[in-house]
Amino acid sequence: MSNGTEHVSAKSEVFPPSDDVVAHANVPDYLAIRQAALDDPAAFWDARAKELIDWYEPYNEVLNTSNAPFYKWFTGGKINIVHNALDRHATSWRRNKLALIWESEDGEEVTYSYLKLWRRVNRFANVLKSMGVKKGDTVTIYMGRVPQLPIAMLATAKIGAIHSVVYGGFSEQALADRIADAKSKVVVTCDGAWLRGKTVNLKDITDEAVSRSPVVQKVIVYQRTGQDVKMVPGRDFWWHDLESLPIASPYCETEVMDAEDGLFILYTSGTTGKPKGLLHTCGGYQVHIAATLKYVFDIKEEDRYWCAADPGWITGHSYIVYAPLILGTTSFMYEGAPGYPYPDRWWEQIEKYAISILYTAPTAIRSLMRFGAEWADRHDLSSLRILGSVGEPINPEAWRWYYTHIGHERCPIMDTWWQTETGGFMITPTPVVPLKPGSGTLPFAGIQADVVREDGVPCDANEDGYLVVKYPWPGMARTVWGDPQRYEDTYWADFADQGWYFTGDSARRDEDGYFWIIGRMDDVIKVSGYRLGTAEVESALVSHPDVAEAACIGVPDELKGNVIHAFCILNAGVQGGDDLAAALRQHVRTEVGPIAMPAVVEFVDSLPKTRSGKIMRRLLKAQVLGKPLGDTSTLED
Ligand code: WT7
């Protein structure tokens, strides 16, 4: 369902912004500003850096291109993101404003004013210092969706260390790989996380991962579920014990950082090998995310904003934790899954907390749509004014349902295209841009995206091509942690002559210049909007003693966008069957995480390969979908 062809059919429908929305927009002349930025993107970002961000010392250059593609932004500027996100609010009238409203799965409500959040962050920053964390060190954070996750992130950033958050849905091997790659001496985790009424034992998973990555010296454990956990003396400490020590005072100096110092690493899947740790830096990143959030979601002082992603993904880093706080916004965060424990939990929360902006993923919309609109109709959703979508193309049915039954044809839908690598929104409307369901509309002001052929020539209208970005932007990842060569090879090699960034996506532009994302061109599979590399799932499968070789493909799915179909060649003498298929699915779940679990495990005698030995996943996919095999000339056999 979420492939390009269907979006084209919806193309003729245009939803112009309502007069009301335009009249009240933060940036009513956005299209003119965007037009002006086409000629001078750096000037646009320079203005935003001055308008939205406080600098300890001003930068002396907006963009430095001397070591392309290792671009630098705002060089010479001194800054800390926590100063902009917290310090300045906690010492202004905003100290009494709510920064965060959190609701647990079982309905407990906890609120944090800016002052309270700032104090908690300061305390934990002091705790991290007492554990030996210094500027430039990495801290791995592996937690459920609790306020202590953003607190741990902000505390790390405050003292100039680099956080590496690993999504709480990942399992042992995935966590171990990320800890080892980031070389974190300190890990912050929870005893457990609540998920659909059950607890996930995060501490056990952490213990297993830590045993596979001997760099870890200290583990700080936040008590969420109260379940029994094993604490290793001298290594493991309870968060609440450390916080009650005199060292954990509510005052902590904010470290002065260079604009280009590291802020965080976030791992994401790619075509080959282990996940890449993308490094984001202190200066440009915050300019990009603050500007995009303000323009796109039209953030106002009185808003109550809900980005329903997990803080453990880039969406959460940029648009749950950092950008809303920089803008002084009140955010809502829910611990549980959509539709849990009852189908209208989200709609009830929107009414209860008077949420005005909801930003979520197509897969969540589709899952709630399945319960029926009557669940939404039971609630007063009139507080909503803007909706958002991210993670994969939104299919027209889901778009219409969201627009009609949640937004009551009053709320524009911001379909934001971007990536872990881009740091912030890249192709997106703002509330004053006419919408077409399924299209992210136009590149944001200052972003020069295009769809081109293999030789770099721009595609004709409605012709599929490579989605590229032709000019640097401030939120861009600066490198792959520990592997700059991989950064160049992955993103800058395909269009090296032109010096363009290749996104890995295919797309087309229509006759109005609107962008339509088709999907990944590489071996990345989007399952429920989560990004998985075939390589990760395949290496988990072959780590099972019965499996000799494995190949995975993504197959379109009504609800999840795609699901994983795995092909396995078994070791000699092993018999395939339903039990083994179930065991292999479980094995992937334990090693990588529930989201990586293949929907189907099929046993085969051979896999189609090129003469150079590469698995031709394209052929496997064509076969499963009953499509023509296409060019098979490079097939070995
Ligand atoms: C890939 C990046 C950026 C936050 C979440 C995903 C796909 C993302 C859209 C959208 C169509 C989208 C692309 C992209 N994608 N947003 N609005 N429409 N496709 O970040 O996990 O790094 O994945 O997600 O394929 O390359 P990510």
Side-chain angles (χ1 to χ4, degrees), residues 169-181:
F170 276 126
S171 301
E172 290 151 18
Q173 194 56 45
L175 177 60
D177 289 344
R178 286 158 175 78
I179 293 173
D181 189 78

Side-chain angles (χ1 to χ4, degrees), residues 315 390-393 415-420 505 520 526 531:
T315 313
V390 63
E392 56 176 322
D415 183 351
T416 59
W417 178 92
W418 56 297
Q419 308 179 295
T420 306
D505 280 6
R520 299 292 307 192
K526 280 259 155 170
R531 178 166 161 181

Side-chain angles (χ1 to χ4, degrees), residues 53 55 73-74 77-82 84 135 157 160-162 255-264 279-287 326 474 478:
I53 301 297
W55 300 80
W73 285 85
F74 307 112
K78 302 280 186 205
I79 197 164
N80 191 305
I81 198 163
V82 180
N84 285 301
K135 182 174 181 173
I162 298 173
E255 192 73 36
V256 175
M257 307 296 284
D258 284 323
E260 284 295 331
D261 280 340
L263 172 64
F264 66 84
L279 179 73
H280 285 278
T281 52
C282 292
Y285 171 75
Q286 53 182 304
V287 174
I326 291 170
R478 298 301 195 265

